[in-house]
Structures are given as structure tokens and as C-alpha cells.
């Protein structure tokens, strides 16, 4: 995403099945305030539209270009479930990290603008999260999406937090087809 300062913000996203359409879900903090959002996969690039921005849940929905493929369904996470994280970085491209959900959480956290506190359903995984991994899908063995990564622990190395599919599903259901404003920079 570009448009907030001199440096583009990088993130990862997940292609989700939204019934009659396919969308990309990512973290709101990577696209908030942006003028242009571009997605890339295997060398293909496309500008996309922002269809929903939820600063409290740190979620954003984007249109998916035709080459994005089939979206995966969302499913409720389970503590102890083995998962895969699809992590993207500018240096390594996409890497897959096998791990597990260590615990389910109800997190009280400030929104992306640090305006008030909100509760969200989330979970914890053991993963080496770095810049660009926000929005990375946490994937079940059958390919369904348990949630997306939004942060790493500042105190405990190798611990990451993901927004649960239970928070993503209502946003997908409520989103329209018309682009929305990206708000202010986060």
C-alpha cells in the first residue's frame, strides 16, 4: 500500500471464499490511509479496491484479481490444532511455517489509531513474525482459514497473534462491492 509517507507498507493477505465472490483479507494497519493498494502473486501484479476497513478488528477486505485463484472458506480455530502459516517477505517470497495454535484468546486492545479499546477474538501461535507478515493466513490442514496474523509479541520471542475467523466472517458478510475510503494513516 502506498500513500502514507515515503515508504510503502507491505503485508500479506489471504484469498477467502465470500460466497458469490472471492476477496482478499489482510490487516487494516497495512492499508489504512493508502492511496493505492497493489497485490502481487507469483510475479503477477494488480491494483485492487478496498471494500472494507475495520480499525477495531484490524481487518481490511480487498477485491481479488481473477488470477488470485479460488478463495478458501473461513473456519473456527481450535487450541492445539496443527496449522500452516503462509508468510511473505521481500527477500524470500512466500514461505510456509508449520506450527500450532497454542491458545485461544479474547483480546482487549486499542484500535489501529490508538483510539479506545475493543475486544476481539484471537489466538496465539508460535511463529517468527517479521515486517510484511501482517495479514498472513493461518491455515488448517484441509486448507480452511482459521484467521490472519496481526502482531507479534514484544515480550515473548517467536509468539504471534492472529485475528480469528469469527471476526473476519461478519466483515465479509457486511461488505459491499463498492470501494470505501481508506481512512487516515495508521
Amino acid at each position: 500500500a502506498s500513500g502514507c509517507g515515503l515508504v510503502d507498507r507491505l503485508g500479506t493477505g489471504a484469498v477467502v471464499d465470500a460466497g458469490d465472490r472471492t476477496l482478499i483479507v489482510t490487516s487494516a494497519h497495512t492499508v489504512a490511509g493508502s492511496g493505492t493498494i497493489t497485490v502481487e502473486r507469483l510475479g503477477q501484479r494488480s491494483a485492487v479496491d478496498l471494500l472494507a476497513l475495520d480499525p477495531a478488528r484490524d481487518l481490511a477486505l480487498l477485491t481479488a484479481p481473477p488470477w488470485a485463484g479460488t478463495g478458501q472458506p473461513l473456519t473456527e480455530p481450535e487450541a492445539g490444532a496443527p496449522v500452516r502459516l503462509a508468510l511473505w517477505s521481500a527477500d524470500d517470497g512466500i514461505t510456509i511455517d508449520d506450527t500450532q495454535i497454542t491458545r485461544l484468546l479474547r483480546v482487549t486492545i486499542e484500535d489501529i489509531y490508538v483510539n479506545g479499546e475493543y475486544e476481539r477474538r484471537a489466538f496465539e501461535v508460535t511463529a517468527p513474525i517479521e515486517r510484511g507478515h501482517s495479514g498472513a493466513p493461518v491455515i488448517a490442514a484441509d486448507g480452511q482459514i482459521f484467521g490472519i496474523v496481526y502482531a507479534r509479541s514484544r515480550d515473548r520471542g517467536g509468539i504471534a497473534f492472529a485475528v480469528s475467523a469469527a471476526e473476519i466472517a461478519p466483515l465479509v458478510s457486511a461488505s459491499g462491492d463498492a470501494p470505501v475510503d481508506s481512512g487516515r494513516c495508521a
Side-chain angles (χ1 to χ4, degrees):
S2 60
C4 283
L6 300 175
V7 178
D8 289 345
R9 286 177 289 156
L10 306 173
T12 305
V15 181
V16 297
D17 178 5
D20 61 341
R21 60 196 172 140
T22 301
L23 300 173
I24 297 172
V25 62
T26 191
S27 294
H29 70 263
T30 61
V31 298
S34 61
T36 304
I37 302 170
T38 304
V39 295
E40 180 176 345
R41 179 179 176 206
L42 303 173
Q44 294 181 300
R45 299 185 84 177
S46 293
V48 296
D49 291 325
L50 177 66
L51 298 179
L53 183 77
D54 187 334
R57 291 184 179 122
D58 195 2
L59 294 171
L61 293 177
L62 311 171
T63 55
W67 51 259
T70 304
Q72 295 299 309
L74 298 165
T75 192
E76 290 287 323
E78 300 171 23
V83 296
R84 301 185 113 187
L85 275 73
L87 304 171
W88 175 87
S89 75
D91 294 332
D92 301 323
I94 297 173
T95 58
I96 303 297
D97 188 36
D98 290 317
T99 188
Q100 71 177 16
I101 296 174
T102 53
R103 64 184 175 142
L104 303 178
L105 306 166
R106 283 201 181 267
V107 178
T108 300
I109 191 168
E110 293 174 318
D111 72 8
I112 65 170
Y113 299 117
V114 195
N115 289 334
E117 292 185 341
Y118 299 89
E119 185 177 283
R120 71 172 78 133
R121 291 176 62 186
F123 56 91
E124 181 182 280
V125 294
T126 303
I129 300 302
E130 300 174 359
R131 182 178 185 265
H133 291 166
S134 292
V138 182
I139 306 165
D142 62 3
Q144 295 186 68
I145 298 172
F146 282 132
I148 63 163
V149 171
Y150 69 89
R152 64 179 173 204
S153 174
R154 292 183 184 140
D155 303 330
R156 300 172 14 223
I159 299 296
F161 302 102
V163 178
S164 171
E167 300 288 346
I168 300 168
L171 188 64
V172 169
S173 296
S175 70
D177 292 325
V180 299
D181 186 74
S182 64
R184 69 181 200 272
C185 297

